[in-house]
Amino acid sequence: MNAADRVVLAGCSQEALAAVTPASMLHWTCVCIPLGTVLYANTFISQYEGAGRKDRMMTSLWQAIWIAIAAGILLLSLLPLTRQLLELSGHPPKVAELEAQYFNTLGAGNPILLVVTAMTCFFNGRRKTSVVMIITMGAVVFNFVVDYLLVYGIGPFPELGIRGAALATVLARCCEVLIYGVLIWREAKRLDLPLLSECRIDRELLWKYFRFGIPSGLHYFVDYSGFTVFLMLVGTLSSEALAATNLAFSVNGLIFVPLLGFGTAIQTLVGHHMGARRIDWARQTTRSATLLGILWTGGTGLLLIILPQLILRPFAMFADEAQQESLQSLSDMASTLLYFVAVYSVFDALAVVFSSALRGAGDTVYPMVITLASTWLVMVLPAAFVVHSDNPSLMKLWFASSASIVFTGSCMLVRYLLGHWTKIELVKEEPAVI
C-alpha cells in the first residue's frame, strides 16, 4: 500500500514524493512496538496448534485483539504532536507540512491497522497464508484505485493530494477488518472452535505477550526508528537527495516485502514445530527459507544492476511533461542507489530469515539487541557524522546504511548457529485464566 501511495504521488509533486516515505517510516516507528507485540500471536497460535491446544489458540487471538484495540486508542494521543516533531527534522516547510498530513491521516487509522494485524495471525499462525495473501492483494488494488481518485480528484471525488493517499490506505484496512471478521466467524463455526467463549482476558497469556512480544516489537521499533532518523538526515542534504532515496527505498520495499513473507512463514512454521518439539523440522524449515531468500534477493539484485531505469519507470506513469524532466534527474540519482540495494538485499534476507526463526522459537531479545546496535551504532551515528562533516554526500550515507544491514544479517546467522533457541519452551506452562 505504501508503494502504491508513492507511485501515485510521484506524479503529484516532488515535495509529495519527498514527504511520503519519511512520514510513512515515522508512522511505522510509532506503531511498530504494539504491532510487533500483536504479531507475536503468530507464534503463540502456531505453537499451540502444534501442541494440539485449540482452545489456547483462540485465547491467543483474543489477547492480541485486546492489545490491538488498547494500543491503537493510546496511539491516537500522539497525533497533536506530529507537526512539532516534524519541524525538528530540518526539512523544507512545505515538505514537513505534507509529512504531517500523511502521518496524521494514517495515524487516525491505527486501531484499525492493529486489529487487522491481529486477525491475520488467526490464518498465518495456522499456515492458511493464502487467505491473507488474497485479502491483502485485494486491499492493495482497492488502495491503488482509491489513491488515484482521491489524490487527483477524479470525477466526483475531492482532490486531497497526499492526504487522499493516506485516506485510501485507511479505507482499504477498514475493508480488511470486515472481511477477516466474517471469515474468522465462519471458520470458527466450521471447525467448532471456541470463538466467543475464549474472549476473556488471560493474565498469564498477556504476560507472555509482554515478555516475548514486546522485545519482538522493540526489534521493529529500533529498526524503523533508525531508518526514520536516517531519512531525516538524508533530507538535510536536499529535497532531491531525499526524493531519490525514497525512490530507491520504494524499489527496495518491493524486494523486502516478500522477505517479510518468508519471515512470517518461518516464524509460523518454526513455532509450530517447536510446539510439537520437532527441532529437526524447525531446522529444515529455516534452511529452505534461507535458500528461497537468497535466490529471491540475488535474482532481483541482478535486475537492479542490469535494468535500473526500467525498474524506476512506473514511478513516472502519472507525471505530466514538466514533471517527467524532474523525475528523470531523480531517476538517474536513484539508479546509482539501487546498486547498494542489490548488494545489501542478500544480507537483508539473512537478517529476516534467521531473526524470524529465533522469534518463532521464543528468542526475541537477541534480535532486538543486535538490531539496536546495528541500526544506531553502524548506520545512524556514522550518518550523523557525515551530514555534519565538511564534505557530506548521499553516497557516504548509503554506505553506512549498507554496512548496517550486512552486520545485522551476519550476527543473526551466528546466533542461529549457536543453537540457544532450541532450548526454549514457550507453551509448556499451564495458563491461569481470570
Side-chain angles (χ1 to χ4, degrees):
M1 291 189 192
N2 292 143
D5 290 349
R6 293 166 193 158
V7 169
V8 175
L9 288 170
C12 185
S13 69
Q14 182 173 302
E15 289 81 8
L17 180 59
V20 62
T21 299
S24 176
M25 291 294 293
L26 180 60
H27 170 254
W28 283 109
T29 298
C30 294
V31 82
C32 60
I33 293 180
L35 185 76
T37 304
V38 168
L39 269 174
Y40 211 67
N42 270 338
T43 297
F44 283 119
I45 290 172
S46 63
Q47 290 218 13
Y48 278 123
E49 187 191 41
R53 296 291 308 276
K54 298 294 179 68
D55 57 329
R56 303 301 295 159
M57 183 179 71
M58 300 308 295
T59 307
S60 300
L61 171 64
W62 277 109
Q63 306 316 299
I65 290 175
W66 297 135
I67 293 172
I69 293 172
I73 294 173
L74 184 63
L75 285 170
L76 295 178
S77 64
L78 296 176
L79 300 185
L81 306 176
T82 305
R83 280 175 169 79
Q84 295 92 317
L85 179 62
L86 288 170
E87 285 174 0
L88 301 175
S89 66
H91 294 177
K94 187 174 181 180
V95 173
E97 172 59 26
L98 293 173
E99 288 171 343
Q101 291 180 19
Y102 189 79
F103 177 90
N104 283 341
T105 307
L106 282 182
N110 281 336
I112 301 296
L113 167 64
L114 293 173
V115 170
V116 167
T117 301
M119 289 177 160
T120 64
C121 295
F122 176 76
F123 296 99
N124 281 333
R126 296 166 52 242
R127 296 165 294 167
K128 306 292 185 181
T129 53
S130 60
V131 175
V132 178
M133 177 191 71
I134 292 169
I135 294 174
T136 303
M137 288 173 66
V140 169
V141 172
F142 176 91
N143 179 72
F144 188 84
V145 173
V146 179
D147 260 349
Y148 180 67
L149 297 175
L150 294 181
V151 168
Y152 296 104
I154 304 300
F157 296 94
E159 184 178 345
L160 300 178
I162 195 170
R163 196 189 301 273
L167 180 59
T169 299
V170 174
L171 292 174
R173 288 175 181 150
C174 289
C175 293
E176 286 183 291
V177 166
L178 294 175
I179 295 170
Y180 279 122
V182 171
L183 292 180
I184 290 172
W185 178 79
R186 290 179 58 185
E187 189 81 350
K189 186 176 180 180
R190 184 177 69 86
L191 299 176
D192 196 26
L193 297 174
L195 179 60
L196 297 180
S197 62
E198 294 297 323
C199 70
R200 65 179 67 90
I201 294 176
D202 185 310
R203 285 185 300 182
E204 183 68 22
L205 194 49
L206 276 179
W207 166 246
K208 286 185 177 181
Y209 268 102
F210 296 144
R211 179 184 173 188
F212 296 100
I214 288 180
S216 181
L218 285 170
H219 175 191
Y220 294 113
F221 174 75
V222 296
D223 192 12
Y224 279 112
S225 62
F227 272 96
T228 300
V229 173
F230 177 79
L231 283 172
M232 298 299 179
L233 292 172
V234 171
T236 62
L237 296 180
S238 66
S239 295
E240 292 77 14
L242 181 57
T245 295
N246 289 346
L247 286 175
F249 274 162
S250 296
V251 174
N252 178 51
L254 297 176
I255 299 173
F256 186 71
V257 166
L259 285 181
L260 293 181
F262 296 147
T264 299
I266 190 173
Q267 184 172 338
T268 300
L269 290 171
V270 167
H272 180 85
H273 298 326
M274 293 297 288
R277 300 311 298 165
R278 291 304 307 263
I279 296 173
D280 55 334
W281 289 3
R283 292 185 185 276
Q284 180 58 48
T285 295
T286 307
R287 286 195 293 269
S288 299
T290 303
L291 177 61
L292 285 171
I294 291 175
L295 286 175
W296 167 252
T297 53
T300 53
L302 285 175
L303 290 177
L304 296 185
I305 293 172
I306 298 171
L307 303 169
Q309 290 287 346
L310 180 63
I311 291 170
L312 290 168
R313 192 171 297 169
F315 291 95
M317 69 171 63
F318 296 109
D320 56 30
E321 188 173 340
Q323 291 166 336
Q324 289 277 0
E325 297 181 8
S326 174
L327 281 173
Q328 184 57 49
S329 63
L330 291 178
S331 183
D332 293 338
M333 190 184 303
S335 295
T336 303
L337 302 182
L338 290 183
Y339 298 145
F340 289 93
V341 175
V343 173
Y344 71 57
S345 288
V346 175
F347 291 91
D348 236 350
L350 298 180
V352 169
V353 168
F354 291 114
S355 67
S356 298
L358 296 174
R359 291 198 302 271
D363 188 359
T364 57
V365 174
Y366 178 87
M368 182 267 292
V369 172
I370 287 300
T371 304
L372 173 65
S374 173
T375 302
W376 288 90
L377 298 181
V378 182
M379 181 178 67
V380 174
L381 188 60
F385 280 120
V386 168
V387 298
H388 291 99
S389 66
D390 295 332
N391 187 27
S393 74
L394 185 59
M395 297 300 109
K396 292 178 182 178
L397 295 181
W398 271 75
F399 270 114
S401 174
S402 302
S404 169
I405 296 172
V406 171
F407 178 79
T408 302
S410 302
C411 289
M412 295 300 180
L413 171 61
V414 171
R415 177 68 170 188
Y416 173 81
L417 293 177
L418 290 176
H420 170 73
W421 59 275
T422 62
K423 302 177 178 64
I424 300 173
E425 294 186 55
L426 192 64
V427 301
K428 69 174 182 177
E429 295 123 358
E430 192 68 24
V433 178
I434 62 169

